[in-house]
Amino acid sequence: MQSAADSGTQVAIIGGGPAGMLAAQRLAEAGHRVTIYEAQATVGRKFLVAGHGGFNLTNAEPLPSFSARYAAHQPRFQEFLGHFSPSDLRQWTTQLGIPTFVGTSGRVFPEADYKPAQLLKAWLARLGQLGVIIRTRHRWLGFAGASGLRILNEATGEEISINPAVTILALGGASWRKTGSDGLWTTALTEIGVRCTPFQPSNCGAEVNWSAFFREKVGRAPLKNIAVSCGPHTVRGEIMLTEYGLEGTPVYALTPALREALGHSNPAPLLLNLKPDLSWEALRQRLAQRRAGTTLASFLSSALRLGPPVPTLLREVGPAALPTSPEELAHLLTHLPLPVSGLRPLDEAISTAGGVAWEELNEHLMLHQRPGTFVAGEMLDWEAPTGGYLLQGCFSTGAWAAQGAARWLAQNAKIFFG
Ligand SMILES: Cc1cc2nc3c(=O)[nH]c(=O)nc-3n(C[C@H](O)[C@H](O)[C@H](O)COP(=O)(O)OP(=O)(O)OC[C@H]3O[C@@H](n4cnc5c(N)ncnc54)[C@H](O)[C@@H]3O)c2cc1C
């Protein structure tokens, strides 16, 4: 059934996350009639979740190295970021009345006085002023004919069909299901022959099969100012030992490398350097000062500030007989192998790799299989580390898809509007 209220929809945006809402804003600003269809009772749930642990909107890193964060997709993202850049994103938040500041490692946050909910509220008010209609509890079920969409009004149980002139799909990835990003949309796309790369957890914790003794004795404990390496990739920072393995930004950043390593061997070795600020020679010299009779635990604590849980960790993953020579001990402290047996489940991950395969899209992010249907945000097959690169990627692809949609509308205006 075609709903009368939706019959005038010129642009349908499916998914009320950052990618979809920015696309909606850009198209409404260009004078188009836009409706957002969102399955949840409210929009922007994952956007708000992102705000819980520090709302890292983007990064002040220069564009060449910023775009390198998207690894193999750098050339594409260079173009997306050029179109809607990190400074455009900062300007956008400022225009919504929320100033930003640059924190450590270039991370950009809203000023301390502003809560994520305030940004979302200001954004929704702006969308309202632009005439964007938001239909919550409206779940997209799939395609109908050449340009139609099937939508379920979950409040009434009624299924409607709409025929927008253009559609932007921005349904998110497949983690944190409770925010609405359930990844179920792949069925509708594969049904029309669009290839989707299977989802994989990204920016997630790593599993280590600790002994029962270790789990009980250490539980959760931070390791500060360390470096972890997987293959040629090394990341510094702080990690957290947990009952199931490891958490923390350096581990998240190594997810792609760990995933690849796990494809070759299990467990995959993650090498921990407990003293990345000391040269190997300086470390060796300090270790050579250990006097006979001093326990390793008290020596490591006093000479190198490596207190608990380090001695227990060395016994857990080090050789059965810990080395005594300064050289071997220096090697162990800088190359401690943490045997990673897997990545944490998809639903726990901050983001997901996988999604709509790039070869299914043209340069405007329009599906080859379905002219007039564009894709944006995390449902595309890319991944990037934390640090503001995820939201920026979603905003930039949202703006890019909106530009493609506007162009397509202009080219096809005669067909649609006589
Ligand atoms: C814990 C956590 C912390 C994070 N912190 C940060 C951070 O600090 N910085 C950063 O850059 N990124 C962060 N992220 C990642 C960021 O939030 C996401 O990358 C971003 O929200 C993805 O945007 P999106 O618009 O593509 O999809 P989403 O935000 O997932 O939005 C997709 C929307 O589509 C809707 N939807 C799904 N299926 C349907 C359907 N069938 N019909 C209608 N609607 C549907 C969903 O309900 C959802 O509202 C964090 C993520 C998590 C989980």
Side-chain angles (χ1 to χ4, degrees):
M1 183 173 107
Q2 164 99 26
S3 131
D6 295 284
S7 60
T9 298
Q10 185 190 18
V11 177
I13 309 268
I14 313 294
M21 291 201 292
L22 192 77
Q25 180 174 346
R26 304 280 279 203
L27 284 158
E29 280 167 348
H32 299 290
R33 279 175 285 117
V34 182
T35 304
I36 298 175
Y37 295 90
E38 164 57 51
Q40 298 294 306
T42 51
V43 293
R45 291 196 170 191
K46 195 178 262 184
F47 188 60
L48 291 179
V49 163
H52 286 172
F55 203 16
N56 185 191
L57 290 167
T58 183
N59 201 290
E61 190 173 23
L63 274 195
S65 50
F66 197 120
S67 57
R69 304 290 181 166
Y70 302 87
H73 306 299
Q74 173 171 24
R76 286 189 183 98
F77 275 82
Q78 206 162 309
E79 207 166 5
F80 304 151
L81 294 167
H83 178 64
F84 189 81
S85 67
S87 26
D88 292 331
L89 178 41
R90 293 187 71 185
Q91 200 182 338
W92 170 83
T93 54
T94 308
Q95 282 164 355
L96 291 175
I98 314 280
T100 55
F101 74 98
V102 180
T104 49
S105 6
R107 290 169 184 243
V108 173
F109 301 93
E111 290 283 2
D113 295 344
Y114 295 96
K115 302 270 170 281
Q118 280 171 280
L119 177 54
L120 183 59
K121 193 174 166 202
W123 192 3
L124 291 176
R126 176 83 187 112
L127 292 177
Q129 285 158 5
L130 289 165
V132 173
I133 297 168
I134 300 182
R135 299 225 180 284
T136 54
R137 302 191 67 193
H138 277 62
R139 178 173 293 278
W140 175 62
L141 299 178
F143 300 105
S147 66
L149 303 172
R150 291 170 50 222
I151 310 267
L152 176 67
N153 178 339
E154 293 196 323
T156 62
E158 180 192 19
E159 186 177 322
I160 58 170
S161 67
I162 56 168
N163 269 291
V166 77
T167 298
I168 296 185
L169 301 176
L171 295 100
S175 72
W176 281 67
R177 207 184 171 92
K178 64 180 177 192
T179 62
S181 331
D182 54 22
L184 295 176
W185 49 262
T186 50
T187 311
L189 285 168
T190 44
E191 262 170 22
I192 61 156
V194 172
R195 193 175 77 76
C196 296
T197 314
F199 291 118
Q200 306 255 29
S202 187
N203 291 304
C204 63
E207 296 184 341
V208 178
N209 291 321
W210 305 123
S211 66
F213 170 78
F214 185 84
R215 275 201 295 271
E216 190 165 324
K217 177 142 192 211
V218 174
R220 281 177 76 82
L223 290 174
K224 296 188 180 180
N225 202 11
I226 53 83
V228 276
S229 307
C230 183
H233 310 281
T234 298
V235 188
R236 293 195 51 169
E238 174 177 336
I239 61 171
M240 178 70 80
L241 304 176
T242 70
E243 316 71 54
Y244 54 75
L246 311 162
E247 289 285 343
T249 310
V251 179
Y252 302 159
L254 288 175
T255 331
L258 281 170
R259 192 188 303 129
E260 196 187 332
L262 283 163
H264 300 298
S265 70
N266 194 327
L270 184 69
L271 295 179
L272 172 65
N273 183 347
L274 288 158
K275 279 287 165 194
D277 286 326
L278 279 186
S279 70
W280 188 86
E281 182 49 28
L283 180 60
R284 192 199 65 77
Q285 281 179 16
R286 286 214 205 163
L287 290 168
Q289 289 163 8
R290 182 178 168 194
R291 294 215 179 93
T294 321
T295 66
L296 182 62
S298 69
F299 175 71
L300 288 178
S301 177
S302 60
L304 290 164
R305 283 190 287 155
L306 292 176
V310 170
T312 316
L313 182 63
L314 292 178
R315 291 206 161 75
E316 175 76 5
V317 295
L322 287 177
T324 48
S325 83
E327 290 76 17
E328 284 174 298
L329 202 47
H331 184 79
L332 188 64
L333 293 176
T334 50
H335 297 79
L336 192 63
L338 303 177
V340 171
S341 58
L343 297 175
R344 289 301 284 168
L346 198 60
D347 199 43
E348 277 180 28
I350 288 176
S351 61
T352 44
V356 176
W358 291 99
E359 73 263 18
E360 301 290 347
L361 302 152
N362 74 7
E363 69 276 25
H364 304 297
L365 296 178
M366 185 173 82
L367 288 174
H368 295 302
Q369 297 274 10
R370 219 179 147 82
T373 298
F374 296 77
V375 184
E378 214 179 302
M379 69 183 288
L380 294 164
D381 182 13
W382 57 277
E383 64 182 317
T386 57
Y389 307 105
L390 298 168
L391 280 173
Q392 180 69 53
C394 294
F395 278 105
S396 295
T397 54
W400 186 261
Q403 175 186 249
R407 188 172 298 167
W408 202 81
L409 278 169
Q411 282 164 359
N412 293 276
K414 280 212 173 67
I415 303 168
F416 293 121
F417 314 115

